[in-house]
Amino acid sequence: MYSESKLSKAILDKLPVPKGYLILIAVPEVEEKTKGGIIRPDVLKTKEETASIVGQVLVMGPDCFSDPDRFPAGPYCQEGDWVMFRAYSGTRFKVGGKEFRLINDDVVEATLSNPDGIERA
């Protein structure tokens, strides 16, 4: 889970505050090596981050999941949850070398108890 221990204060201070129905997502870092010990080149790591389908909800805008017609059962997620969304969703950006996204509330497709081992097919 991302926390202040994983994200430095310098990074946290630079992150945008989502407005409206937007959600700020932290994308997990791509491992330097594969499970087989092969070192991933930077180009491949960037492609994998870009195509990521999981992330952790850091901050939710004030209007997230507020439309009862679209979300009759209430919010799909809350801050701190790991969520799944479509590859290439949202506005991608980096702060301090770490990738983040701003996604719409209706892009969240599932919550996960543990993102380990989830890969895009």
Side-chain angles (χ1 to χ4, degrees):
M1 183 172 195
Y2 280 95
S3 63
E4 290 195 30
S5 62
K6 280 226 171 197
L7 295 174
S8 72
K9 181 164 175 26
I11 290 175
L12 290 171
D13 288 345
K14 291 180 182 178
L15 291 175
V17 176
K19 302 297 181 189
Y21 52 85
L22 294 173
I23 302 173
L24 177 62
I25 300 286
V27 176
E29 292 183 18
V30 176
E31 297 293 324
E32 190 73 29
K33 292 182 182 181
T34 66
K35 290 180 183 177
I38 298 170
I39 297 175
R40 289 184 171 105
D42 289 341
V43 171
L44 179 59
K45 289 189 329 186
T46 299
K47 284 182 182 181
E48 287 183 24
E49 282 177 344
T50 301
S52 178
I53 59 169
V54 298
Q56 188 176 34
V57 177
L58 294 180
V59 181
M60 295 171 52
D63 299 326
C64 283
F65 305 110
S66 62
D67 184 345
D69 293 331
R70 294 178 63 207
F71 307 105
Y76 292 172
C77 62
Q78 59 187 358
E79 291 177 4
D81 284 353
W82 285 94
V83 295
M84 183 176 285
F85 45 85
R86 293 182 185 198
Y88 307 105
S89 293
T91 302
R92 297 177 24 249
F93 61 96
K94 287 190 175 191
V95 175
K98 298 184 183 307
E99 182 165 336
F100 298 90
R101 292 190 193 184
L102 283 169
I103 64 170
N104 295 337
D105 57 1
D106 63 355
V107 173
V108 174
E109 295 185 345
T111 57
L112 308 161
S113 60
N114 184 347
D116 294 343
I118 303 290
E119 297 178 10
R120 185 174 158 260

